[in-house]
Amino acid sequence: MPLNAEHGPTMAGTLADWSFGPAPRRVTRQVKIGQVAVGGDAPVVVQSMTNTDTADVGATAKQVAELWRAGSELVRVTVNNPESAAAVPRIVDKLAMMGVEVPIIGDFHYNGHQLLANEPACAEALAKYRINPGNVGFGKKRDTQFAQLIEFAIRYGKPVRIGANWGSLDQALAAQLMDENHERAEPWDAARVMREALIRSALDSAHRAVDLGLPAERIVLSAKVSGVQELIAVYRDLARRSDFALHLGLTEAGIGSKGIVASSAALSVLLQEGIGDTIRISLTPEPGASRTQEVIVAQELLQTMGLRAFTPMVTACPGCGRTTSEFFQELAKVVQEHVRAKMPEWKISHPGAENLTLAVMGCVVNGPGESRHADIGISLPGTGEAPAAPVFIDGEKAVTLRGEHIAQEFVALIDGYVERRYGRGSAAV
């Protein structure tokens, strides 16, 4: 049923009458973080965070480089003690020698004002400061220490993210709002009061930073919780009440599929509504697993929603009783890993290759049709089918592959297509 702007779904019309795609992006102030633009008309930016000891320069630079190569456009590091603060300029220098050009964000809690005062080289080397208003200081020291951090940002020309968090909420503000709630003729429920405290913590801190002299164009806001519905409610309200650029992320999302599903469920709703200027998927890595998974999930979320393109995506069938062979699964994995590995090179030499669509299908039922919809697709033989794999290029059957080298031949066809369509001398560019 197509959607009617005034009356909702209707039965009239055809598929062509439907309106697809996200709502227009919310208009926000644009913030420059190094050479990366966040907000305004810039695309939604992917960021991540290291989990190394920042004082270990080699390990931290190595992980930052891995995250950058995976596609992280901003990388945050913990700055929690004098050793880590002293290491930051060395990390930035080492990354420059490695040819890694990614803005580094310093994550400060409790003692950021002292660390920046004692390590001015750290204050200069960082591209942005992350400040949590819930633990920047306590009691009478809170306002003073917050002001000191903002003064450093002004002195060194740095943007800041003012990031409130459900787990470290400003308790004085929460208590104040609870008291105010008791005076209401119709009191809010406790959950709404806590959401309001989180939003107010971020907004009040941002307005104070502006009053202290930090331009609004150098402020990004976040207000993170660990529940999907709570996050959606908080950010809808935050977006309605301000024009600051917003950082989206479900805090403590979890491990494996739970973290991926929860983050995708929350962020996809907000992104579909045009809310969000930069995102992080806060996954707990599997033991021994690469930190880069959170970057890949963030990219795939944005790409599957049609907001950005990072790497060719592979459509592949899930398999059924018709596809008893595992070869189509193995080929789909080979193809996806191949194009992802090639993208750093293609991004420079073959711009536009990230928009390539691929299909690896396992039998004759949907195989030819899905393959025709892709730029390049292969329909592998299912159980009882003839041992032949037709390949479709730009909707037309181009060749039929047979034998033991189908995988290598199909990958070669992909590389050849990329060269013809996206190479510097191609007519398509």
Side-chain angles (χ1 to χ4, degrees):
M1 293 181 291
L3 299 177
N4 180 289
E6 295 182 2
H7 306 293
T10 71
M11 295 301 294
T14 66
L15 186 62
D17 297 319
W18 282 76
S19 177
F20 294 101
R25 286 277 300 283
R26 163 180 167 267
V27 177
T28 63
R29 297 174 183 270
Q30 188 169 96
V31 181
K32 289 297 291 294
I33 303 167
Q35 297 303 309
V36 177
V38 171
D41 59 356
V44 179
V45 171
V46 171
Q47 62 177 279
S48 58
M49 185 175 184
T50 60
N51 61 356
T52 56
D53 178 359
T54 306
D56 187 335
V57 173
T60 302
K62 180 175 181 286
Q63 191 174 80
V64 170
E66 290 171 351
L67 292 166
W68 175 72
R69 291 190 184 102
S72 185
E73 295 158 300
L74 303 170
V75 177
R76 183 161 42 116
V77 301
T78 297
V79 187
N80 61 327
N81 54 39
E83 294 77 17
S84 62
V88 165
R90 294 159 57 202
I91 292 167
V92 171
D93 288 344
K94 189 174 183 66
L95 290 169
M97 288 188 290
M98 296 166 66
V100 176
E101 300 177 355
V102 62
I104 302 299
I105 301 164
D107 194 61
F108 295 101
H109 299 274
Y110 307 110
N111 60 351
H113 60 295
Q114 295 173 335
L115 297 176
L116 291 177
N118 295 334
E119 293 288 345
C122 172
E124 180 63 42
L126 290 169
K128 185 175 76 168
Y129 310 153
R130 189 273 179 145
I131 304 170
N132 184 339
N135 58 31
V136 71
F138 303 99
K140 295 180 180 179
K141 294 182 178 180
R142 178 191 176 281
D143 288 347
T144 300
Q145 292 173 188
F146 178 83
Q148 288 174 324
L149 284 166
I150 298 302
E151 286 164 8
F152 283 118
I154 294 169
R155 181 185 310 170
Y156 292 102
K158 307 296 181 179
V160 301
R161 170 159 72 95
I162 295 174
N165 192 292
W166 195 261
S168 52
L169 190 57
D170 182 343
Q171 293 304 306
L173 177 59
Q176 173 192 327
L177 293 181
M178 284 290 189
D179 290 341
E180 292 175 3
N181 190 50
H182 288 310
E183 303 300 320
R184 286 192 174 91
E186 298 182 6
W188 297 347
D189 60 53
R192 183 177 177 186
V193 176
M194 295 304 286
R195 287 198 301 271
E196 178 66 14
L198 191 68
I199 293 165
R200 281 279 303 278
S201 179
L203 287 177
D204 291 357
S205 297
H207 293 312
R208 179 148 191 267
V210 171
D211 289 342
L212 289 167
L214 186 68
E217 290 74 18
R218 296 224 302 264
I219 297 174
V220 178
L221 293 188
S222 67
K224 292 188 175 182
V225 300
S226 56
V228 170
Q229 297 297 341
E230 289 88 350
L231 190 84
I232 293 169
V234 164
Y235 273 90
R236 280 174 173 167
D237 206 0
L238 194 57
R240 182 178 59 82
R241 292 161 64 175
S242 80
D243 63 354
F244 292 108
L246 295 182
H247 166 115
L248 299 188
L250 191 75
T251 191
E252 287 89 40
I255 194 168
S257 60
K258 186 270 178 186
I260 293 171
V261 171
S263 293
S264 298
L267 270 58
S268 61
V269 171
L270 293 168
L271 291 167
Q272 185 71 10
E273 295 177 2
I275 297 170
D277 301 291
T278 178
I279 66 171
R280 183 196 171 201
I281 306 293
S282 300
L283 295 182
T284 303
E286 300 278 356
S290 171
R291 189 73 164 175
T292 59
Q293 185 187 22
E294 67 175 49
V295 179
I296 294 170
V297 171
Q299 289 181 326
E300 291 182 348
L301 173 62
L302 293 174
Q303 187 151 350
T304 55
M305 293 188 67
L307 293 170
R308 290 190 67 182
F310 297 95
T311 190
M313 298 291 281
V314 179
T315 297
C317 67
C320 66
R322 291 176 177 269
T323 56
T324 53
S325 168
E326 292 183 352
F327 181 66
F328 83 94
Q329 298 164 304
E330 295 166 358
L331 180 57
K333 182 179 180 182
V334 166
V335 169
Q336 186 69 77
E337 290 177 350
H338 175 76
V339 296
R340 185 169 285 280
K342 293 285 285 187
M343 266 316 299
E345 172 192 335
W346 284 347
K347 187 175 182 180
I348 297 170
S349 61
H350 296 74
E354 65 273 12
N355 297 298
L356 179 68
T357 58
L358 304 165
V360 177
M361 304 302 293
C363 79
V364 75
V365 174
N366 292 318
E370 285 285 0
S371 295
R372 284 191 177 94
H373 287 308
D375 293 322
I376 307 180
I378 186 169
S379 181
L380 296 166
T383 306
E385 294 177 19
V391 175
F392 297 83
I393 298 178
D394 292 331
E396 301 293 334
K397 183 178 175 180
V399 66
T400 297
L401 303 181
R402 294 180 175 86
E404 299 178 356
H405 303 293
I406 288 177
Q408 298 94 314
E409 292 173 3
F410 185 59
V411 167
L413 287 170
I414 293 170
D415 288 347
Y417 183 90
V418 170
E419 182 61 37
R420 291 192 306 274
R421 182 171 177 179
Y422 301 107
R424 291 290 186 183
S426 70
V429 173

